[in-house]
């Protein structure tokens, strides 16, 4: 029995470190299972202490150390880049088909002085409730996913927004916008809600989730922020591949990457997985992040305070005198 426990932990560590969810024949089972790697990491150390056999205990401890090396850095704050631009405060919230309390969301926006709110699973009734609760007074600008019915994504902002085109093929970005700041800078925004790899063990669901994440845009010349429900954790190879394109996870940068944001039961305090994220390009600095309870939702809202890079200085006007061709010069008589 002890060797069975040790073998399971060692196998999990091997699957995580090898990125088993990158393999098409394995991703249907690897994607949902690897979501729980932080819990298995803690369990590995408990098992190493409780197992009596020296061999099983040693194997489990080695696997626990390997998993800790993969998971542990999320709990350690990173040194931030020397960004010298304006501060931007963003908040993302999955409303669970509009069931989250509108007053709670608006109170959180007010308390955190949020400049941008990314909303997923917004309904017509929920949008009306947010307006009645006073969201329009705090964040008067809005861009919404153009869908005729059902839930949608939306971006609310303190500063003017310009809606942008969605990516093709279909990505996890439910709506995109350009945010024009008072400093003259602008930021590209995308409200993210990836299709969940559900039901578990479904190759079709996992393939849809993978393709939507892979179609997300890379950072560009101007700062870009992707925020929302990615239905992915840092233990998924597809999510790490997205980060390698030039993004960092704000919560992990602040040392809060192990704070879970989703639980199986709405309104319960138990949360299991960190699937809500704020991704920024590497030129931005993270001041702080925090997760907050949302009454009526199975997600916690995620807040991030960011400092943007300084805007490039405008090029000085040219002082070169244009040449005059000989054909333009007149001759006297």
């Amino acid at each position: 029995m002890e060797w069975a426990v040790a073998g399971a932990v060692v196998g999990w560590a091997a699957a995580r470190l090898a990125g088993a969810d990158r393999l098409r024949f394995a991703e249907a089972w690897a994607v949902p299972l690897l979501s729980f790697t932080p819990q298995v990491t803690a369990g590995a150390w408990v098992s190493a202490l409780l197992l009596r056999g020296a061999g099983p205990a040693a194997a489990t401890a080695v696997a626990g150390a390997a998993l800790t090396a993969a998971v542990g850095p999320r709990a350690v704050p990173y040194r931030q880049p020397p960004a010298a631009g304006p501060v931007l405060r963003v908040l993302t919230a999955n409303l669970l088909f509009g069931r989250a309390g509108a007053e709670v969301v608006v109170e959180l926006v007010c308390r955190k002085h949020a400049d941008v709110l990314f909303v997923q699973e917004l309904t017509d009734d929920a949008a009306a409730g947010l307006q009645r609760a006073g969201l329009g007074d705090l964040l008067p600008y809005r861009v919404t996913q153009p869908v005729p019915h059902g839930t949608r994504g939306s971006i609310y902002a303190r500063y003017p927004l310009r809606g942008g085109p969605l990516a093709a093929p279909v990505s996890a970005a439910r709506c995109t916008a350009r945010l024009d700041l008072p400093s003259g800078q602008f930021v590209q925004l995308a409200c993210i809600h990836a299709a969940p790899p559900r039901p578990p063990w479904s190759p079709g669901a996992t393939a849809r989730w993978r393709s939507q994440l892979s179609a997300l845009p890379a950072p560009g010349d101007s700062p870009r922020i992707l925020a929302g429900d990615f239905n992915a954790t840092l233990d998924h190879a597809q999510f790490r591949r997205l980060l390698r394109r030039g993004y960092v996870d704000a919560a992990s940068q602040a040392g809060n990457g192990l704070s879970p944001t989703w639980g199986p039961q709405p309104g319960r305090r138990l949360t299991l997985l960190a699937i809500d994220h704020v991704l920024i390009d590497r030129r931005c600095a993270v001041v702080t992040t925090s997760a907050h309870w949302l009454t009526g939702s199975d997600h916690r809202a995620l807040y991030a305070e960011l400092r943007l890079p300084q805007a490039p200085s405008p090029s000085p006007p040219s002082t070169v005198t244009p040449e005059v061709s000989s054909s333009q010069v007149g001759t006297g008589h």
Side-chain angles (χ1 to χ4, degrees):
M1 176 62 72
E2 291 194 347
W3 275 113
V5 172
V9 174
V10 170
W12 196 293
R16 167 60 180 84
L17 297 179
D21 53 324
R22 294 179 300 175
L23 306 175
R24 299 297 172 87
F25 69 87
E27 67 178 1
W29 60 265
V31 167
L33 284 180
L34 289 179
S35 303
F36 296 93
T37 295
Q39 290 86 341
V40 173
T41 302
W45 287 112
V46 173
S47 299
L49 294 174
L50 296 179
L51 293 176
R52 297 182 178 180
T60 304
V62 170
L67 290 172
T68 300
V71 170
R74 301 171 211 174
V76 179
Y78 284 74
R79 183 176 181 179
Q80 299 302 306
V87 169
L88 189 67
R89 301 173 180 87
V90 305
L91 189 67
T92 178
N94 185 313
L95 304 186
L96 186 60
F97 304 106
R99 299 176 192 170
E103 293 80 7
V104 175
V105 175
V106 174
E107 188 275 334
L108 186 57
V109 169
C110 182
R111 176 158 48 94
K112 299 306 250 181
H113 305 287
D115 301 305
V116 181
L117 171 65
F118 300 85
V119 177
Q120 304 88 53
E121 298 195 16
L122 180 70
T123 63
D124 291 337
D125 289 342
L130 290 173
Q131 291 302 111
R132 288 194 298 270
L135 184 61
D137 297 329
L138 299 172
L139 306 177
Y141 301 96
R142 174 184 174 189
V143 170
T144 301
Q145 179 184 2
V147 293
H149 54 79
T151 63
R152 57 190 180 273
S154 190
I155 302 173
Y156 296 83
R158 187 181 306 277
Y159 309 118
L161 289 171
R162 305 183 193 181
L166 297 179
V170 176
S171 77
R174 301 303 179 178
C175 63
T176 62
R178 166 178 155 165
L179 176 70
D180 293 321
L181 298 174
S183 64
Q185 286 181 264
F186 64 89
V187 183
Q188 301 292 344
L189 307 175
C191 181
I192 307 300
H193 193 192
R198 192 176 59 236
W201 333 125
S202 168
T206 308
R208 181 173 62 251
W209 166 85
R210 170 174 36 82
S211 65
Q212 289 191 2
L213 288 179
S214 65
L216 287 171
D221 294 334
S222 61
R224 188 186 299 274
I225 299 173
L226 311 181
D229 178 5
F230 289 75
N231 273 303
T233 75
L234 280 160
D235 293 302
H236 291 125
Q238 185 62 54
F239 188 73
R240 297 194 301 276
R241 186 178 295 119
L242 174 62
L243 295 180
R244 286 196 296 271
R245 298 181 69 188
Y247 293 107
V248 294
D249 178 68
S252 294
Q253 290 288 301
N256 298 323
L258 291 176
S259 297
T261 62
W262 174 86
Q265 294 294 329
R268 301 290 179 87
R269 293 289 174 170
L270 175 65
T271 49
L272 296 176
L273 305 178
I275 61 175
D276 299 89
H277 303 275
V278 174
L279 302 190
I280 57 176
D281 69 49
R282 293 170 181 168
R283 296 167 296 174
C284 302
V286 180
V287 179
T288 187
T289 69
S290 54
H292 303 268
W293 299 107
L294 284 179
T295 304
S297 177
D298 54 352
H299 287 255
R300 297 170 76 185
L302 182 61
Y303 168 78
E305 184 174 333
L306 315 169
R307 184 171 290 279
L308 303 176
Q310 188 172 16
S313 300
S315 301
S318 174
T319 58
V320 178
T321 303
E323 294 183 359
V324 180
S325 65
S326 59
S327 61
Q328 293 175 303
V329 180
T331 57
H333 294 283

